[in-house]
Amino acid sequence: MVRRVTEDDIGIRILYEPPAHEAADNVPSIDIVAIHGIGAHPDDTWCKKVDAGRPEEPYVNWLSDARMLPAVVPQARIMRYGYESQWFGEETISLKASTVAQRLLRGLTRERKVSLKHPSRPLMFIAHCFGGLVILKTIVDAKRSGDKWPGIYKSTVGILFFGTPFRGAGGLNQSEMLLAIQSQYDDDQIQGSSLNILAPGNETLMDLMELFFETRQEKNLAHVACFYEQKPSNVGAIYKGSRIQKFVVDESSGCLDQSERTEKYPLSRDHFNMNKFGKPTEEDFQTVREAIETMVEQAPALLAARDQQHDRFAVPFHFTGLPITGRFVARDTDMKKMRRNLLPSNTPDGRKIYILYGLGGIGKTQLAVAYLREHQEIYSAILWLNGNSKDTLMQSLAAFGKHAGLHPVSEAAAAKTQDSRDIEAEARAVLRWLALPGNRRWLMIVDNVDREYSRGDEDPLAYDIQSFLPPADHGYIMITSRLPSLGEIGISTEIKRLDAEQALELVSDRSGLPHGTEGISQLVKRLGYLPLALVQAGKYMRESGTSCSKYLELYESSWTRLVAEVPQLRDYENGSIQTTWTISYRRVEHANPTAAKLLQLWAYLDHQDV
């Protein structure tokens, strides 16, 4: 029997607020709001009766229990919204998803207006059954009337649907339920129309779905996770009938859509218990936990990307001209560090400088490219700069300025050669633009800052990288370098060699040879597990038909010849890259001497892509 809903149960109720040490500036980092279904109690919906041993607290509310959701997101403020939802009996009420959605929006706007210091605080919804349809309508209305419900649509970063009947609750036969209820209650105690929206094919439901899908046509969508039941429910218990086992909301109805944009999770529970958890060790709770953690982790970046869409400092970014390889070796640990240090948060950041350092050919540049592929939409502007020398850096900055329209030139100025133009002035103009107070969400990547700089240095290509950083305490800067010493100007991470399995996978992919090929293990070891050397060797073997054993012979003979010509290579950690490149070059030289000379010319002018 459902517990009676009182006035005290209706509306927004805060179940958990983070302690001061968990919330930055004493402000929670995200709001989480839970909405129950039809014919349910606002609090009991989320409670599970636990085993004996807790006579004083026989039920666990996973939204508020310190071991459950508060432990998953200790920095969140957790709320639930309650409404009267009984469709038969003495407390019956006429119920529509649209009406509940309007009341939820009103209560949520009031609560966030009163307590929010940061209007852009991320917002997440958790809903069961009919409550999910309420959320669909809430999102639709919040988008349509953004002025009336400020911040709700824009701040929504995630929704968890438990058993929401997107295509109707096929297991609830309305005719059967109404007949059974009518034998027990008077007509004025029954609101059968409240169930209409749960019927498969219901026009109101179909219209609501269509309106919600319209909101999903934009970029930077809220993350959606749908949980569906794997066990039938005793639907007869709803109206005290006989035991009738049915799936209330099957998988096809319980998943918003079949696209990859929607996460889908089966839970080994029935419809009426899929939203109740009693212990943090329950497997189904851990599944839910992981989905919530992912949404919370990605929330700041998602909001940042939405802000960027309407940013007056936004500059389109293209990968054209970037040094991209066909296959990237995943480095999950390094990528997580980059996200932690370079993704914008929803609180003001000072300038972030992150240095990727390691041997040449170790994969620093490709890691930076992979980061861009994953997070390019988060930043208002992205500058990819060639840091090989002061000249290349200034040219890259000036090229960005032209692309961004920062220094429009007259026809006469455009006719001037690059040498006669003041490239440094154009580069400095870009740095001043990056330093403007409202221009906070740019990412600057300076690739290949590899020459140690010191005052009085005779190396003409060495320069002080700090003199080319924007004069502002905002923005995000990534530098790739062979120099560990650059770690002094920011947070640094050493990019290390591949492990043996990754190296085998890479050379096998590039050469087309299986892992067990004779000599392949010896080859990757001899090449020092360096990605660039492995790629060069793999491509050579694929294109020339050379075996691993034969390539090893070529490698050893080339290495011996190179060391004889340049003895310093014995102490050079990247000797394997020099050697594999030389093997490929010698083959080009043998096949086409003119092409080899052209490569030499290109390398002399700018070796970046050679």
Side-chain angles (χ1 to χ4, degrees):
M1 187 68 180
V2 177
R3 187 156 59 102
R4 181 173 178 269
V5 177
T6 69
E7 279 292 325
D8 292 336
D9 298 319
I10 297 171
I12 295 282
R13 292 292 178 271
I14 298 175
L15 304 179
Y16 167 83
E17 287 197 273
H21 68 276
E22 292 287 0
D25 300 324
N26 295 323
V27 178
S29 65
I30 191 168
D31 279 341
I32 300 177
V33 184
I35 301 92
H36 62 90
I38 198 168
H41 188 279
D43 293 311
D44 297 353
T45 291
W46 315 106
C47 293
K48 181 177 181 178
K49 189 170 184 179
V50 295
D51 296 336
R54 291 174 37 131
E56 71 289 351
E57 294 183 72
Y59 290 90
V60 169
N61 186 330
W62 69 277
L63 299 179
S64 59
D65 190 286
R67 304 166 303 153
M68 306 294 280
L69 188 56
V72 177
V73 278
Q75 73 279 25
R77 179 173 64 158
I78 303 171
M79 300 172 276
R80 63 90 173 132
Y81 180 74
Y83 59 96
E84 294 181 88
S85 63
Q86 195 63 26
W87 63 275
F88 64 86
E90 295 181 2
E91 305 296 329
T92 187
I93 187 170
S94 177
L95 197 64
K96 292 181 179 179
S98 57
T99 304
V100 181
Q102 287 289 304
R103 296 186 63 166
L104 170 60
L105 281 166
R106 191 173 296 112
L108 197 53
T109 301
R110 184 187 306 120
E111 181 60 42
R112 285 165 67 89
K113 185 184 297 183
V114 168
S115 61
L116 271 181
K117 293 182 181 179
H118 301 287
S120 62
R121 184 194 299 177
L123 176 62
M124 181 189 300
F125 292 105
I126 299 174
H128 180 237
C129 194
F130 177 84
L133 303 183
V134 171
I135 294 305
L136 296 185
K137 183 59 174 170
T138 298
I139 297 298
V140 168
D141 289 353
K143 185 177 188 302
R144 282 181 164 182
S145 306
D147 294 339
K148 186 177 182 180
W149 314 118
I152 301 298
Y153 177 77
K154 183 179 177 182
S155 299
T156 300
V157 296
I159 311 173
L160 284 80
F161 293 104
F162 288 85
T164 295
F166 299 111
R167 290 160 197 83
L172 296 177
N173 187 302
Q174 290 186 54
S175 299
E176 289 180 5
M177 288 195 294
L178 286 172
L179 284 173
I181 293 298
Q182 285 169 349
S183 66
Q184 304 173 46
Y185 297 93
D186 295 333
D187 288 345
D188 60 358
Q189 292 181 309
I190 302 172
Q191 291 290 337
S193 60
S194 299
L195 302 178
N196 289 347
I197 198 171
L198 302 180
N202 176 263
E203 188 173 342
T204 301
L205 175 59
M206 294 170 67
D207 289 345
L208 177 57
M209 289 289 291
E210 183 177 344
L211 291 172
F212 182 74
F213 279 127
E214 287 179 9
T215 72
R216 304 284 291 171
Q217 302 305 311
E218 300 180 354
K219 291 183 178 180
N220 308 310
L221 297 173
H223 299 288
V224 169
C226 295
F227 300 88
Y228 59 89
E229 62 221 53
Q230 287 187 296
K231 292 182 178 180
S233 304
N234 179 18
V235 296
I238 298 175
Y239 44 87
K240 298 181 180 180
S242 58
R243 185 172 182 82
I244 305 172
Q245 293 289 112
K246 289 185 178 181
F247 282 94
V248 177
V249 180
D250 61 18
E251 179 181 352
S252 62
S253 181
C255 295
L256 179 65
D257 58 33
Q258 296 304 312
S259 74
E260 294 182 356
R261 299 184 306 180
T262 299
E263 299 292 333
K264 308 164 190 69
Y265 303 95
L267 297 181
S268 56
R269 296 159 183 256
D270 65 32
H271 183 78
F272 303 114
N273 291 290
M274 65 186 307
N275 52 312
K276 305 175 189 291
F277 307 102
K279 295 182 291 186
T281 54
E282 292 176 13
E283 183 184 27
D284 285 340
F285 176 74
Q286 291 175 353
T287 298
V288 173
R289 172 191 184 126
E290 290 168 358
I292 293 174
E293 286 176 332
T294 299
M295 290 183 184
V296 172
E297 179 185 343
Q298 296 178 354
L302 179 57
L303 292 187
R306 290 175 182 171
D307 288 341
Q308 186 268 336
Q309 282 181 254
H310 308 288
D311 194 335
R312 65 189 178 95
F313 294 104
V315 177
F317 174 74
H318 306 286
F319 282 89
T320 305
L322 265 62
I324 301 174
T325 62
R327 183 180 183 277
F328 171 69
V329 179
R331 295 176 181 264
D332 294 338
T333 300
D334 294 323
M335 188 65 80
K336 286 180 181 178
K337 292 179 182 177
M338 294 173 72
R339 294 190 193 105
R340 189 163 56 244
N341 288 284
L342 290 171
L343 283 180
S345 66
N346 61 319
T347 55
D349 289 321
R351 185 171 70 179
K352 300 286 186 69
I353 302 177
Y354 192 66
I355 296 96
L356 299 175
Y357 75 90
L359 298 175
I362 203 73
K364 305 180 295 294
T365 297
Q366 295 309 310
L367 187 58
V369 171
Y371 178 84
L372 281 188
R373 286 191 185 281
E374 188 172 332
H375 300 294
Q376 58 176 304
E377 292 186 350
I378 290 171
Y379 301 96
S380 57
I382 297 172
L383 297 79
W384 185 283
L385 309 175
N386 181 350
N388 188 58
S389 69
K390 177 180 176 180
D391 287 343
T392 61
L393 180 57
M394 288 193 300
Q395 289 166 9
S396 297
L397 282 166
F400 173 84
K402 182 179 179 181
H403 170 62
L406 301 183
H407 35 254
V409 296
S410 64
E411 290 184 13
K416 293 182 179 180
T417 65
Q418 181 166 289
D419 290 339
S420 64
R421 284 166 46 206
D422 192 343
I423 296 297
E424 183 163 4
E426 295 179 10
R428 295 293 176 188
V430 172
L431 296 179
R432 289 193 298 273
W433 178 78
L434 293 172
L436 292 174
N439 191 6
R440 308 183 63 87
R441 210 174 287 280
W442 46 263
L443 172 65
M444 172 191 286
I445 300 176
V446 190
D447 191 32
N448 290 328
V449 182
D450 294 330
R451 296 178 182 273
E452 194 84 55
Y453 170 81
S454 61
R455 294 188 182 280
D457 199 323
E458 296 181 358
D459 186 347
L461 299 181
Y463 62 97
D464 181 9
I465 182 60
Q466 294 192 73
S467 67
F468 285 93
L469 301 183
D473 188 30
H474 60 248
Y476 303 84
I477 299 168
M478 184 196 312
I479 300 172
T480 71
S481 176
R482 299 178 188 177
L483 308 174
S485 59
L486 281 185
E488 297 174 1
I489 68 172
I491 297 172
S492 63
T493 292
E494 181 182 8
I495 307 304
K496 299 183 179 179
R497 301 170 190 263
L498 301 178
D499 61 35
E501 185 60 33
Q502 288 176 315
L504 280 171
E505 182 67 28
L506 180 57
V507 78
S508 176
D509 177 75
R510 290 311 175 91
S511 66
L513 299 173
H515 286 204
T517 301
E518 182 181 357
I520 197 168
S521 296
Q522 296 92 316
L523 177 61
V524 298
K525 184 177 181 180
R526 186 68 181 88
L527 298 184
Y529 307 106
L530 290 172
L532 184 54
L534 295 166
V535 167
Q536 290 172 345
K539 283 186 174 180
Y540 183 97
M541 289 187 289
R542 179 187 288 271
E543 293 177 10
S544 66
T546 304
S547 67
C548 284
S549 301
K550 180 61 177 177
Y551 189 89
L552 271 171
E553 293 178 13
L554 282 172
Y555 181 90
E556 297 300 347
S557 61
S558 295
W559 172 247
T560 301
R561 187 163 55 250
L562 278 170
V563 169
E565 295 172 359
V566 188
Q568 300 94 313
L569 278 177
R570 288 189 182 277
D571 301 318
Y572 182 47
E573 289 185 287
N574 283 18
S576 58
I577 294 174
Q578 177 74 26
T579 308
T580 54
W581 192 91
T582 300
I583 292 172
S584 297
Y585 176 76
R586 296 298 183 205
R587 184 165 184 264
V588 172
E589 187 177 43
H590 176 75
N592 191 329
T594 303
K597 289 181 179 180
L598 185 59
L599 277 174
Q600 287 183 336
L601 175 61
W602 286 344
Y604 173 76
L605 295 173
D606 185 355
H607 68 270
Q608 177 82 6
D609 293 326
V610 178

